[in-house]
Each structure stands twice: as structure tokens, then as C-alpha cells.
Amino acid sequence: MSTATTPVTVQKVGGRLGAVISGVRLGGDLPAETVAEIRAALLAHKVVFFRGQDHLDEEAHEAFGRLLGTPVAHPTVPSADGRYSFPIDSDYGGRANQWHSDVTFVPAYPAFSILRAVVIPPYGGNTLWANTATAYEKLPEPLRALADGLRAVHSNDYDYAALRPGALPEQLVRFREVFASTKFLTEHPVVRVHPETGERTLLLGNFVQRISGLTGTDSRALLDLFQGHIERPENTVRWQWQVGDVAIWDNRATQHYGVDDSDDHERKLRRVTIDGDVPIGVDGRSSVLLAPESVPDPAFGIASGDSKASPSEPAAV
């Protein structure tokens, strides 16, 4: 943990987002003031990085996560050992090039994600993040006004084969049977008001099926327009992983993209997600769960008529 001889330092790595935090040994025993410093840096810089956290295991990873909030499990893939740590591995689920925020197909998607590097390839396998707050802020005023009034439907039932054209048939079958075993549809505002910073952020990414009330052609044109602003290079930061690295991002104000360019080399990371809240749009309207109407497993956090779900998803990071 941080001490008087190892002060916590925060150094920016990108103009619009990203910072490296030094002087901290992550774990469940961090003092409250250090956790507060980490949280403040996270809200300010959107994604923060820690080097040399090789001491972390599954238990310590989750214990640290509890200092930021309540860990939540994957909604469709049960953990064999009851842990919240979710594998992001190159052999499945970790090789899909796509911009996304974690688990936006449920209403209360994660507030934070904490990713730990276990095995890193000799080259490639970097992760990019984009700042969805500055993406909104830098829009021309007429586009901000348009986005403020839009809503979009998000789902985990997307075309996995299109995203993974080289996937083996058994991988496609597993996706359909496991990750999409329960099909979620949630309508979110395209612009949400961040509950801690008050910023307006664009809520889009690869889980979006359509803009509510528009035809396919018009919907796709608007999605491409706004998503293009999010993905602009000046709005992003890229991280080259080392074993023992930890990245934490504000999932309410970023998208991320795991680059599949490490050929057949092994890449293993572990992620713990921290529960979020239901987004509220500029007009004061909340996100709405459209389907399913009820989920029998209480681990989902959804009862009939409830609008809150436990998050996670099979996306590359």
C-alpha cells in the first residue's frame, strides 16, 4: 500500500484520457484515503493503469474491487468456483475487434471494470480506450442537440460470426448456447448524465441494435456518425500490456477495444466488474429493460418489472 515514502502519483498518458498511478500496491487492505485518490483519478482520467501488480491473485483482485463498489458476476456464464473474476482469454472471447462499453445490454451496466494481465503475447494484444464524455463535448452544437433526444436499443444477441469470421463452428455454437442463452434488450438514452461527475456521455458501442423509432438505414447512419466521433484518434489512448498490469476504467464514460493482432499467441487477462446504476438521460428519463420481462435466477438482479441486471459480456479487452 502507499506509505509516506511511496506517495501516490498520477501521470497523464493521453491528452483526453488515461493516467498511470504509481506508489500503490493494490489489494483489499488499502486505506480509505488511498482508495479515494484512486477513485478521484479514475473519474478525472476515465482509465488508470498500474504496473507491477504481480502479487494479485483472484481473491486479492476481488477484494480490491470491493473497495470501489459491489462486484457482479457474468449474467449468462455461471462461475464454477463462485468468484466474480471473469476470464478474458485468447482461446475464446478475447479476439473480437469491437468498440464497446461493458454489458450495455442490461439497464444497470457496470460502473467500473478492473482488468489484470496474467499472460501477455510477445507482440500485439493492446487495448484502446475512448472518452465518450469528450466525444459528446466536441460535437457541433446541432449534433449535441440531436443526440440529447435520441434513445437506442442494446442487445447481447448480435452477429458473432460477422465479428469473428475466422471462428471455429464450435466457438459459434458455444456463443449462441452460453453467452446469448438469455437474450437481453435494453433501451438507453444515447446521452446519459454521469451520476458522479455530471458530465454528458455518449452511450453507444457494438451492443446497439438500432436507434429507437428510426428505420434501419437512418438508424445506421446516425450510429455511424456518433460512433465515429467516439473513435477519433485524438479521443483515444492505447495501452501496451505487461504481465502484472492492472487497468481500471469508468465504464460509464468510456468505450474500449481489444486489438486482435497477436496471431496465435496466448493472451490471458482477468476482469472484475463493479455494479453500476440505471442511466438517466438529459430529459430525466431512465433506461428501460425491454426483454426478458423477468429472469428466474436472482443472480441477475431482475425480477418481473424490475429494471436492474448484473453485468458482463464476452467482449475482447
Side-chain angles (χ1 to χ4, degrees), residues 171-240:
Q171 292 176 313
L172 299 179
V173 169
R174 181 170 183 249
F175 171 78
R176 303 304 306 175
E177 293 181 349
V178 178
F179 290 111
S181 58
T182 300
K183 295 179 176 62
F184 290 96
L185 285 174
T186 296
E187 184 186 70
H188 288 298
V190 168
V191 180
R192 73 169 294 181
V193 180
H194 195 289
E196 295 189 68
T197 67
E199 295 173 300
R200 296 183 182 186
T201 67
L202 291 172
L203 175 41
L204 294 170
N206 78 292
F207 293 116
V208 176
Q209 282 193 341
R210 65 184 184 276
I211 298 291
S212 299
L214 296 182
T215 65
T217 301
D218 291 339
S219 172
R220 177 46 53 191
L222 284 181
L223 289 173
D224 289 344
L225 172 64
F226 290 118
Q227 185 64 32
H229 281 269
I230 292 171
E231 298 173 16
R232 286 185 173 181
E234 63 270 22
N235 202 44
T236 67
V237 69
R238 185 179 188 121
W239 187 250
Q240 185 172 357

Side-chain angles (χ1 to χ4, degrees), residues 15-212:
R16 294 189 181 177
L17 79 166
V20 173
I21 298 180
S22 304
V24 177
R25 188 176 190 270
L26 296 177
D29 58 348
L30 285 175
E33 57 269 26
T34 302
V35 176
E37 288 183 83
I38 292 171
R39 191 182 193 96
L42 179 54
L43 293 175
H45 300 286
K46 311 307 187 226
V47 56
V48 294
F49 307 101
F50 302 79
R51 295 284 196 190
Q53 306 296 316
D54 310 69
H55 62 280
L56 288 177
D57 56 13
E58 306 294 294
E59 183 177 355
H61 188 173
E62 292 179 12
F64 168 70
R66 289 187 178 91
L67 298 179
L68 293 178
T70 303
V72 285
H74 196 290
T76 60
V77 183
S79 171
D81 55 9
R83 292 200 175 278
Y84 293 106
S85 179
F86 182 72
I88 307 292
D89 294 347
S90 53
D91 56 353
Y92 187 80
R95 291 187 180 276
N97 294 313
Q98 50 189 312
W99 281 105
H100 64 286
S101 301
D102 286 335
V103 206
T104 58
F105 50 82
V106 299
Y109 62 91
F112 303 118
S113 290
I114 308 166
L115 192 64
R116 174 170 58 96
V118 178
V119 177
I120 296 302
Y123 55 82
N126 298 172
T127 301
L128 292 82
W129 282 265
N131 187 333
T132 60
T134 55
Y136 173 85
E137 179 187 351
K138 300 298 182 182
L139 287 173
E141 191 281 329
L143 291 183
R144 290 199 303 271
L146 174 61
D148 286 346
L150 296 174
R151 294 174 71 87
V153 176
H154 297 231
S155 179
N156 61 328
D157 187 21
Y158 59 89
D159 189 352
Y160 186 69
L163 290 170
R164 293 280 312 274
L168 298 173
E170 55 267 29
Q171 292 176 313
L172 299 179
V173 169
R174 181 170 183 249
F175 171 78
R176 303 304 306 175
E177 293 181 349
V178 178
F179 290 111
S181 58
T182 300
K183 295 179 176 62
F184 290 96
L185 285 174
T186 296
E187 184 186 70
H188 288 298
V190 168
V191 180
R192 73 169 294 181
V193 180
H194 195 289
E196 295 189 68
T197 67
E199 295 173 300
R200 296 183 182 186
T201 67
L202 291 172
L203 175 41
L204 294 170
N206 78 292
F207 293 116
V208 176
Q209 282 193 341
R210 65 184 184 276
I211 298 291
S212 299

